[in-house]
C-alpha cells in the first residue's frame, strides 16, 4: 500500500513567517546600531584616532615589501582548508557513494598530496633558510646591436 502525498502547492502566504523573522532580524540590527550610536560614549583623542592593529603601533610606510612566502603560506592554508570542506560531505555520504565515491576521494587526495610535495620541494614552508637559487629560468641575453652598429659607422 502506497501513501499518497499531496503535491507541494506552496502559496505566498506560506512564506510569511520567514519574511517576518527576516524583517525582525533586520529591525533588531538597525535598532541596536542606532541605540549604541546615540547612547554610547563619544570620547575622542589623538591616541584613539590613530591606526592600531594587533597591538603594534603603526610606524613607517604601509607600502613596505612583504616576503612572498607569507602569501604562499596563506594560499597553502586556504588550499588545505578547502580540502577539509570537501571531505566533510564525502565522509557523511561515504556509504551512499560506494566504491566510485571512494575512488574519486583517493584521486582528490592524491592530487592534493602532489601539490603538498611540490610546495615542500620548493621550500615554501622553510622560513629561516636562504631561498634556493631558481634554476628553471635562463639568464636573459642582452644584445648590444645598436652600440655595435654605432661603432661600425
Amino acid at each position: 500500500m502506497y501513501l499518497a502525498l499531496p503535491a507541494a502547492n506552496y502559496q505566498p502566504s506560506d512564506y510569511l513567517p520567514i519574511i517576518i523573522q527576516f524583517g525582525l532580524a533586520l529591525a533588531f540590527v538597525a535598532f541596536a546600531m542606532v541605540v549604541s550610536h546615540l547612547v554610547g560614549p563619544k570620547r575622542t583623542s589623538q591616541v584613539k584616532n590613530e591606526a592600531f592593529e594587533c597591538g603594534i603601533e603603526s610606524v613607517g610606510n604601509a607600502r613596505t615589501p612583504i616576503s612572498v612566502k607569507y602569501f604562499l603560506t596563506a594560499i597553502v592554508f586556504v588550499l588545505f582548508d578547502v580540502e577539509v570542506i570537501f571531505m566533510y560531505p564525502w565522509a557523511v555520504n561515504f556509504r551512499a557513494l560506494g566504491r566510485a565515491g571512494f575512488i574519486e576521494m583517493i584521486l582528490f587526495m592524491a592530487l592534493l598530496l602532489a601539490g603538498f610535495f611540490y610546495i615542500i620541494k620548493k621550500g615554501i614552508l622553510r622560513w629561516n633558510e636562504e631561498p634556493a637559487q631558481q634554476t628553471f629560468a635562463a639568464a636573459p641575453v642582452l644584445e648590444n646591436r645598436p652600440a655595435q652598429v654605432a661603432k661600425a659607422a
Side-chain angles (χ1 to χ4, degrees), residues 64-73 124 126-127 131:
T64 57
I66 298 174
S67 174
V68 73
K69 286 190 174 193
Y70 172 78
F71 299 106
L72 293 175
T73 304
I124 292 173
R126 285 189 231 133
W127 284 83

Side-chain angles (χ1 to χ4, degrees), residues 80-95 97 105 108-109:
F80 287 102
D81 194 38
V82 169
E83 170 195 357
V84 171
I85 291 171
F86 282 134
M87 286 182 70
Y88 182 74
W90 171 79
V92 170
N93 296 317
F94 178 72
R95 292 180 193 238
L97 294 173
M105 183 51 71
F108 179 68
M109 293 298 294

Side-chain angles (χ1 to χ4, degrees), residues 2-3 13 15 18 24-25 32 44-46 49 54 57 62 67 71 82 89 91 104 117 125 128 136 141 143 152:
Y2 293 107
L3 294 175
S13 62
Y15 295 103
I18 295 171
L24 287 174
T44 60
S45 67
Q46 183 179 1
N49 291 336
C54 301
E57 293 183 27
S67 174
F71 299 106
V82 169
E104 289 170 357
F117 289 132
L125 301 177
N128 295 332
F136 54 85
V141 177
E143 296 182 11

Side-chain angles (χ1 to χ4, degrees), residues 16-88:
L16 187 61
I18 295 171
I19 294 171
I20 290 172
Q21 186 174 3
F22 186 70
L24 287 174
L26 285 177
F28 176 75
V29 168
F31 174 76
M33 290 178 70
V34 168
V35 169
S36 67
H37 178 70
L38 295 175
V39 178
K42 296 168 182 63
R43 295 182 214 117
T44 60
S45 67
Q46 183 179 1
V47 174
K48 188 173 181 180
N49 291 336
E50 284 186 11
F52 183 81
E53 184 169 341
C54 301
I56 302 170
E57 293 183 27
S58 55
V59 178
N61 188 2
R63 309 232 187 284
T64 57
I66 298 174
S67 174
V68 73
K69 286 190 174 193
Y70 172 78
F71 299 106
L72 293 175
T73 304
I75 291 170
V76 168
F77 171 75
V78 170
L79 173 76
F80 287 102
D81 194 38
V82 169
E83 170 195 357
V84 171
I85 291 171
F86 282 134
M87 286 182 70
Y88 182 74

